[in-house]
Amino acid sequence: MTSSPHSSTAGPVRIGAQIAPQHALYPKIRATLAEVEALGTDIAFDWDHFFPLSGEKNGLHFESWTLLAAWAEQTSTIELGALVNCHSYRNADLQADMARTIDHISGGRFVFGTGSGWFERDYDEYGYEFGTAGTRLDALEADLPRIEARWEKLNPPPLRDIPVLIGGGGEKKTLRIVARHADIWHSFSSPAVLEHKLGVLSQWCDTVGRDLSEIEISTELRGRTVAEADQLYDLGARLFTLGLSGPHYDLAPLTDWLAWRDSKNAH
C-alpha cells in the first residue's frame, strides 16, 4: 500500500459519530448526543431518511433536519450535520436557508453533508420521484451552485463558509461533483478501494483546476480493524466516522477510536 500524495498535507485526525435516529425515542437520542460531545468527539451526524435502515423496518424513527436544529441548540463544541442529507427531498434554496439557520443556531458548527439519495422506500412513501441514480446525481450537480449562490444572498449570511461534505464513490459523476464542490469527501471505502478512488478524484481535481489537498478525506470505521484504519490514514483519510444505532447506542467502540485519534494526533 502506497501513501497518497494527499497524506503529506492532510490535517489532524477527526472522529465523527453518526447517531442514527432509529429505534430510540428522542430523550435517548438527546442523552447519547450529550455523551458523544462530552467524550470529545469532533462531529455528530444523523442521517436523512424517513424509516429505519436496519432492524424493524417500521420501528421508531425521526426526521433529520429538525433533529439537527435541536442538536445545534443543545450542544456547544461539537460540529454537526447529516451523513448525508438527501438532496431530492427539499428545494435547493430551502436547503441553503435551513443550513444557514442551523449554522447560526450552532454558532458556526454546521457541516452541510449531502448526497443524491438512494433509499427507494423514502421516495415511494413520501411521494418523491425516485428516478435513476443518474438523474438524482444530475439534480445534485445542477443544484449545488444554487445552494452556494443562496448562501451569498441570505441576510444574515452564514457565520462561516459552511463546509460541504459530499458522500458517494461513483467515478464518472459523484467524484466530479466532489472535485468541484466538496470540502469533505465521504465514502465507505476499504484501503485498496480508497487508493483507487483517490487516483480518480485527483484526476477530476486536475480537470476542474482544484487541489486535492483542499478536500478532507472521510471514511467509515464500522467493521474496520485498527490496521485497516492505519492504512486509510496513510492514504490521507483524516475524518473517520462511526455509525451508532438505537436502541442502546453502544459508545465503547467510539471511546476506543477516540483514543486512536489522540494517538495519531500526538505524533
Side-chain angles (χ1 to χ4, degrees), residues 17-99:
Q18 184 184 44
I19 304 170
Q22 63 176 13
H23 307 310
L25 293 173
Y26 186 66
K28 177 63 175 178
I29 295 172
R30 190 185 197 284
T32 299
L33 174 62
E35 291 181 78
V36 164
E37 182 176 41
L39 286 170
T41 310
D42 298 285
I43 309 180
F45 294 108
D46 66 4
W47 66 32
D48 189 17
H49 296 287
F50 305 131
F51 302 96
L53 296 185
S54 62
E56 168 53 47
K57 68 177 184 178
N58 293 315
L60 301 171
H61 199 279
F62 290 101
E63 191 276 328
S64 172
W65 282 86
T66 42
L67 273 181
L68 290 171
W71 287 11
E73 187 63 47
Q74 76 186 59
T75 57
S76 59
T77 59
I78 197 167
E79 289 192 311
L80 49 102
L83 193 66
V84 288
N85 166 67
C86 179
H87 177 73
S88 309
Y89 302 157
R90 301 162 195 90
N91 167 278
D93 292 87
L94 174 62
Q95 292 178 56
D97 204 339
M98 292 161 66

Side-chain angles (χ1 to χ4, degrees), residues 243-265:
L244 308 171
S245 178
H248 303 300
Y249 297 110
D250 178 14
L251 300 186
L254 176 62
T255 301
D256 291 341
W257 284 115
L258 288 169
W260 176 82
R261 173 200 68 184
D262 293 344
S263 70
K264 288 293 188 190
N265 290 340

Side-chain angles (χ1 to χ4, degrees), residues 123-142:
Y123 289 79
D124 291 346
E125 295 216 27
Y126 276 58
Y128 296 104
E129 178 66 36
F130 188 58
T132 67
T135 61
R136 294 192 301 275
L137 278 167
D138 289 344
L140 176 64
E141 184 171 29

Side-chain angles (χ1 to χ4, degrees), residues 55-265:
E56 168 53 47
K57 68 177 184 178
N58 293 315
L60 301 171
H61 199 279
F62 290 101
E63 191 276 328
S64 172
W65 282 86
T66 42
L67 273 181
L68 290 171
W71 287 11
E73 187 63 47
Q74 76 186 59
T75 57
S76 59
T77 59
I78 197 167
E79 289 192 311
L80 49 102
L83 193 66
V84 288
N85 166 67
C86 179
H87 177 73
S88 309
Y89 302 157
R90 301 162 195 90
N91 167 278
D93 292 87
L94 174 62
Q95 292 178 56
D97 204 339
M98 292 161 66
R100 182 280 309 255
T101 299
I102 298 176
D103 177 64
H104 274 261
I105 295 170
S106 68
R109 293 179 286 118
F110 184 73
V111 175
F112 182 65
T114 195
S116 58
W118 62 272
F119 191 41
E120 190 168 3
R121 184 186 180 191
D122 286 343
Y123 289 79
D124 291 346
E125 295 216 27
Y126 276 58
Y128 296 104
E129 178 66 36
F130 188 58
T132 67
T135 61
R136 294 192 301 275
L137 278 167
D138 289 344
L140 176 64
E141 184 171 29
D143 283 345
L144 277 166
R146 283 180 57 191
I147 290 168
E148 294 160 354
R150 180 58 56 186
W151 283 335
E152 296 291 329
K153 298 173 185 176
L154 288 168
N155 185 16
L159 293 173
R160 66 170 176 172
D161 290 333
I162 296 175
V164 175
L165 178 155
I166 296 175
E171 297 178 13
K172 293 182 179 179
K173 290 188 177 182
T174 302
L175 292 182
R176 182 182 71 220
I177 299 169
V178 168
R180 284 209 170 105
H181 297 283
D183 300 291
I184 307 167
W185 168 54
H186 181 79
S187 72
F188 293 82
S189 301
S190 66
V193 171
L194 182 64
E195 185 170 26
H196 169 72
K197 298 286 187 186
L198 283 173
V200 176
L201 180 57
S202 179
Q203 291 174 346
W204 278 121
C205 284
D206 289 345
T207 298
V208 305
R210 185 99 185 271
D211 189 335
L212 176 61
S213 67
E214 297 174 9
I215 302 172
E216 185 176 20
I217 307 303
S218 172
T219 192
E220 170 67 25
L221 283 170
R222 195 168 23 174
R224 300 273 181 229
T225 64
V226 170
E228 288 174 310
D230 287 342
Q231 287 181 299
L232 293 164
Y233 173 89
D234 288 342
L235 287 166
R238 288 299 181 269
L239 175 57
F240 294 84
T241 64
L242 183 67
L244 308 171
S245 178
H248 303 300
Y249 297 110
D250 178 14
L251 300 186
L254 176 62
T255 301
D256 291 341
W257 284 115
L258 288 169
W260 176 82
R261 173 200 68 184
D262 293 344
S263 70
K264 288 293 188 190
N265 290 340

